[in-house]
């Protein structure tokens, strides 16, 4: 899979989710290396703990689902008129962290090969 | 593999064991084996009811095709869950009227070659590999039906099956985007699309024969009782599968499933629980069987195939709540157009139209009734387009209906004036 399309899909779906909340501000930052990438998304709306938990669960599935990621994962970022589905993103990434920052939500997505070490990345 | 998944394997394996035992007991061992071999060489285009040839052999064939799916899931190290159970039970259902191990395996191998080419695992393409067997009739058509059988025609059939399997992953992904996951049988839609070109090619070469319907109307007690037996069995298994979960929690999980829209990909085992999912599958089995029994439809291969498909998708998008409006729409269309509810087209449409259940789940009862109504008018036309080569003809028609509906909804949603910026 070409990296550009892959990143575009993930960014499309996650930004679709953020835009559902109609934020006044949204920032997306991308840092790429040869073996992986880090996407960071911020907005200006704080979420309560139950919603944060829901997002964390969707982005960090308990088990890998290659049969769903490769096929149904293609829908990520292509269905903006409908509700965003973070599971489509969760199946395709290594891990995600979700917290409230000073202004609003902060979602960090880590993706890449098995050798990829998220510790080498900073914002 | 966790404890619940192991028990799901036991449930599915039990279903296959029951079918194989019932097949051999009702048909006699030698006669069933002989008829099973005959089934491998029969033309498999729509509608070829294998129970017309031999009920026992049809049941054994159906279970063996389902076992092929189960083997793929086990050895490609993916989960036996909602999507994979849907695929396995759909294969099983179509093993009663079209799929055989002989015509299905080349397609599966073709998808595997595509996976290797794209440097993926078979697990990643496993759903496509299993549902891709919808185009399996082309293998038997070329191998036996068109040229009468012979070594080179068998090789030709297998080779074409491999090529089709190789093409499917590319097509399936693109077709998924056209209806945005509102047609559950997306590979049926993709296979119908590819089938148009294959049928066109055969027609241009003067090699596309007319369709015929082989439809068993003889009562057989095993066929009549199989689905309600599975329904009750699944409901009981649903309450027993996890001893840590109470009956009340299983029922709560079943109720939660009824509230889900069911749009692809909705793995009910993941979104609710295995127990609630099995109860949903069992109740769908009983509901669809009751409808067929009330209208006195023949319980033959295609009708049971439709019910097994509904049962399978009871873990992957279908619930009682999102299925009934679509079924009602198709039934209303059947009556409005003066057709018989028990004729092959309408009864199969009433069962397989549930491919559009997510439309009712997401947009409500009226939308469900509407797409169900449109579906009947489409499905009676589309089989001729692909020459009956796509077994999931309802998936093809459903894909067209969903695409039309979603295109309109997308236009409406992206043009809401009250959400424009102020001028």
């Amino acid at each position: 899979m070409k990296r550009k399309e892959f990143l575009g899909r993930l960014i499309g779906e996650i930004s679709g989710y953020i835009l559902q909340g109609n934020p006044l501000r949204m920032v997306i930052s991308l840092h790429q290396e040869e073996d992986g990438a880090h996407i960071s998304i911020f907005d200006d709306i704080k979420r309560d703990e139950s919603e944060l938990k829901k997002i964390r669960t969707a982005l960090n599935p308990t088990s890998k689902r290659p049969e769903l990621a490769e096929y149904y994962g293609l829908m990520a970022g292509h269905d903006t008129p409908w509700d965003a589905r973070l599971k489509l993103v969760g199946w395709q990434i290594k891990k995600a962290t979700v917290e409230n920052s000073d202004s609003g939500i902060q979602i960090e997505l880590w993706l890449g090969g098995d050798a990829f070490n998220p510790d080498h990345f900073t914002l | 593999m966790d404890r619940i998944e192991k028990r799901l394997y036991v449930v599915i394996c039990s279903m296959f064991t029951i079918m194989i035992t019932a097949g051999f007991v009702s048909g006699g061992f030698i006669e069933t084996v002989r008829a099973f071999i005959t089934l491998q060489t029969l033309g498999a285009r729509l509608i070829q009811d294998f129970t017309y040839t031999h009920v026992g052999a049809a049941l054994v064939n159906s279970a063996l095709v389902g076992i092929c799916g189960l083997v793929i899931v086990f050895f490609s190290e993916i989960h036996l869950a909602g999507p994979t159970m849907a695929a396995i039970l759909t294969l099983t259902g179509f093993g009663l009227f079209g799929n055989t191990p002989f015509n299905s395996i080349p397609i599966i191998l073709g998808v595997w070659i595509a996976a290797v080419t794209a440097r993926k695992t078979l697990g990643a393409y496993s759903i496509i590999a299993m549902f891709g067997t919808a185009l399996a009739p082309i293998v038997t058509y070329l191998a036996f039906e068109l040229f009468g059988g012979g070594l080179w025609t068998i090789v030709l059939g297998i080779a074409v099956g491999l090529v089709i399997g190789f093409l499917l992953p590319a097509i399936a992904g693109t077709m998924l985007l056209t209806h945005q996951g509102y047609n559950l049988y997306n590979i049926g839609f993709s296979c119908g699309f590819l089938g148009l070109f294959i049928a066109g090619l055969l027609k241009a070469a003067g090699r596309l024969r007319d369709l015929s319907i082989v439809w068993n109307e003889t009562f057989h007690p095993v066929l009549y009782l199989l689905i309600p037996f599975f329904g009750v069995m699944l409901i009981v298994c649903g309450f027993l599968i996890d001893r840590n979960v109470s009956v009340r929690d299983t029922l709560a999980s079943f109720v939660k499933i009824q509230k889900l829209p069911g749009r692809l990909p909705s793995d009910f085992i993941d979104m609710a629980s295995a127990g609630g999912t099995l109860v949903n599958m069992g109740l769908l089995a009983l509901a669809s069987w009751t409808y067929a029994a009330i209208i006195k439809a023949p319980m033959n291969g295609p009708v049971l195939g439709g019910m097994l498909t509904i049962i399978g998708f009871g873990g992957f998008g279908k619930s009682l709540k999102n299925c009934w409006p679509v079924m009602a729409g198709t039934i209303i269309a059947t009556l409005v157009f003066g057709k018989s509810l028990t004729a092959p087209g309408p009864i199969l449409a009433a069962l397989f139209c549930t491919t559009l259940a997510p439309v009712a789940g997401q947009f409500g009862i009226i939308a469900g009734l509407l797409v169900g109504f449109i579906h009947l008018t489409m499905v009676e036309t589309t089989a001729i387009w692909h020459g009956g080569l796509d077994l999931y003809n309802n998936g093809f028609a459903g894909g067209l209906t969903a695409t039309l509906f979603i295109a309109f909804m997308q236009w409406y949603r992206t043009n809401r004036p009250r959400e424009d910026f102020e001028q």
Side-chain angles (χ1 to χ4, degrees):
Chain A
M1 181 186 296
K2 293 275 178 275
R3 207 185 266 198
K4 181 183 123 191
E5 294 152 8
F6 180 50
L7 293 171
R9 274 207 287 272
L10 298 186
I11 292 170
E13 194 69 27
I14 200 90
S15 60
Y17 177 78
I18 296 288
L19 289 169
Q20 268 172 221
N22 204 18
L24 297 176
R25 190 170 69 89
M26 176 173 79
V27 178
I28 299 174
S29 121
L30 168 71
H31 178 175
Q32 280 199 78
E33 291 290 337
E34 278 306 309
D35 59 349
H38 171 210
I39 300 170
S40 197
I41 302 108
F42 306 83
D43 75 357
D44 58 350
I45 302 170
K46 289 202 177 196
R47 267 72 167 184
D48 60 29
E49 194 46 46
S50 68
E51 192 173 353
L52 290 177
K53 192 180 167 194
K54 218 185 276 179
I55 300 168
R56 271 187 215 117
T57 308
L59 289 175
N60 294 291
T62 48
S63 57
K64 288 196 179 286
R65 302 297 296 270
E67 77 278 21
L68 301 179
E70 283 295 336
Y71 173 34
Y72 297 112
L74 292 172
M75 275 195 283
H78 283 281
D79 53 355
T80 45
W82 325 107
D83 292 343
R85 295 180 298 169
L86 295 180
K87 276 196 170 182
L88 296 178
V89 176
W91 290 327
Q92 300 182 70
I93 61 173
K94 279 196 89 171
K95 75 164 192 177
T97 56
V98 183
E99 300 293 342
N100 271 325
S101 69
D102 291 342
S103 57
I105 198 168
Q106 177 176 346
I107 300 176
E108 314 265 1
L109 306 180
W110 309 92
L111 40 144
D114 288 340
F116 172 65
N117 184 358
D119 294 339
H120 296 160
F121 282 71
T122 54
L123 284 178
Chain B
M1 189 188 297
D2 66 20
R3 189 170 45 92
I4 300 294
E5 193 176 346
K6 280 180 190 162
R7 289 179 184 169
L8 287 174
Y9 268 99
V10 173
V11 172
I12 297 287
C13 288
S14 305
M15 291 172 79
F16 292 149
T17 308
I18 290 164
M19 290 177 83
I20 291 171
T21 309
F24 282 124
V25 169
S26 68
F29 186 79
I30 301 292
E31 190 54 38
T32 300
V33 171
R34 206 172 283 158
F36 170 78
I37 294 164
T38 306
L39 290 186
Q40 310 308 303
T41 63
L42 276 187
R45 292 187 303 153
L46 291 172
I47 299 172
Q48 176 70 255
D49 183 353
F50 288 165
T51 67
Y52 185 85
T53 305
H54 192 273
V55 171
L59 288 168
V60 171
N61 180 71
S62 162
L64 288 179
V65 173
I67 288 169
C68 287
L70 197 64
V71 167
I72 292 173
V73 173
F74 185 79
F75 285 102
S76 57
E77 294 176 353
I78 53 170
H79 290 288
L80 182 64
T84 40
M85 286 208 300
I88 290 166
L89 289 177
T90 301
L91 276 175
T92 309
F94 280 86
L96 293 166
F97 71 115
N99 280 135
T100 63
F102 170 76
N103 65 18
S104 301
I105 289 171
I107 307 259
I108 293 167
L109 288 176
V111 176
W112 177 70
I113 293 168
V116 171
T117 309
R119 285 186 285 173
K120 313 272 184 203
T121 60
L122 177 61
Y125 283 171
S126 55
I127 301 277
I128 300 172
M130 288 188 277
F131 285 125
T133 56
L135 272 175
I138 187 69
V139 177
T140 6
Y141 183 68
L142 294 175
F144 299 109
E145 200 179 344
L146 190 57
F147 301 110
L151 185 62
W152 79 268
T153 61
I154 292 173
V155 172
L156 175 71
I158 292 172
V160 170
L162 289 170
V163 172
I164 287 168
F166 184 82
L167 294 173
L168 274 175
I171 299 166
T174 305
M175 302 305 277
L176 191 57
L177 303 180
T178 61
H179 57 75
Q180 302 284 355
Y182 286 100
N183 173 37
L184 291 175
Y185 312 156
N186 178 61
I187 306 282
F189 185 32
S190 312
C191 288
F193 179 71
L194 188 55
L196 292 178
F197 294 92
I198 300 167
L201 203 66
L202 287 166
K203 204 170 183 182
R207 296 286 185 184
L208 186 64
R209 294 191 180 162
D210 290 340
L211 288 175
S212 59
I213 294 177
V214 178
W215 185 255
N216 182 17
E217 293 194 327
T218 313
F219 173 84
H220 194 287
V222 173
L223 296 179
Y224 194 80
L225 295 173
L226 191 68
I227 296 297
F229 182 81
F230 281 163
V232 173
M233 180 183 135
L234 287 167
I235 292 167
V236 172
C237 290
F239 287 115
L240 298 178
I241 196 160
D242 192 349
R243 284 180 210 134
N244 299 327
V245 176
S246 66
V247 171
R248 197 174 172 175
D249 286 344
T250 302
L251 287 173
S253 161
F254 166 74
V255 172
K256 185 182 176 186
I257 288 170
Q258 306 311 304
K259 292 175 184 165
L260 297 171
R263 183 184 167 201
L264 285 174
S266 298
D267 182 353
F268 289 163
I269 292 181
D270 187 35
M271 299 166 93
S273 75
T277 301
L278 289 177
V279 172
N280 185 52
M281 290 164 77
L283 286 174
L284 280 169
L286 295 178
S288 54
W289 181 85
T290 304
Y291 167 70
I294 288 171
I295 63 166
K296 294 189 169 56
M299 299 289 181
N300 57 19
V303 172
L304 263 63
M307 293 176 192
L308 282 165
T309 305
I310 290 179
I311 297 172
F313 276 88
F316 193 48
K318 292 184 187 178
S319 65
L320 288 172
K321 192 183 169 196
N322 68 10
C323 280
W324 80 261
V326 189
M327 279 185 85
T330 302
I331 292 165
I332 292 167
T334 306
L335 298 172
V336 166
F337 295 120
K339 296 173 189 292
S340 163
L341 287 171
T342 57
I347 178 65
L348 294 184
L351 295 170
F352 285 111
C353 71
T354 49
T355 183
L356 292 165
V359 174
Q362 183 84 50
F363 303 104
I365 294 171
I366 303 293
L369 287 168
L370 183 68
V371 293
F373 191 96
I374 298 168
H375 180 77
L376 181 86
T377 61
M378 284 308 295
V379 80
E380 299 229 302
T381 315
T382 49
I384 298 160
W385 295 355
H386 52 72
L389 291 168
D390 176 17
L391 288 175
Y392 305 171
N393 180 46
N394 277 267
F396 181 42
L400 294 171
T401 308
T403 301
L404 175 75
F405 185 78
I406 294 305
F408 175 76
M409 290 304 292
Q410 199 153 334
W411 170 81
Y412 173 74
R413 279 187 174 229
T414 49
N415 288 284
R416 286 167 293 195
R418 64 192 157 86
E419 288 188 17
D420 278 352
F421 291 113
E422 285 176 23
Q423 300 296 316

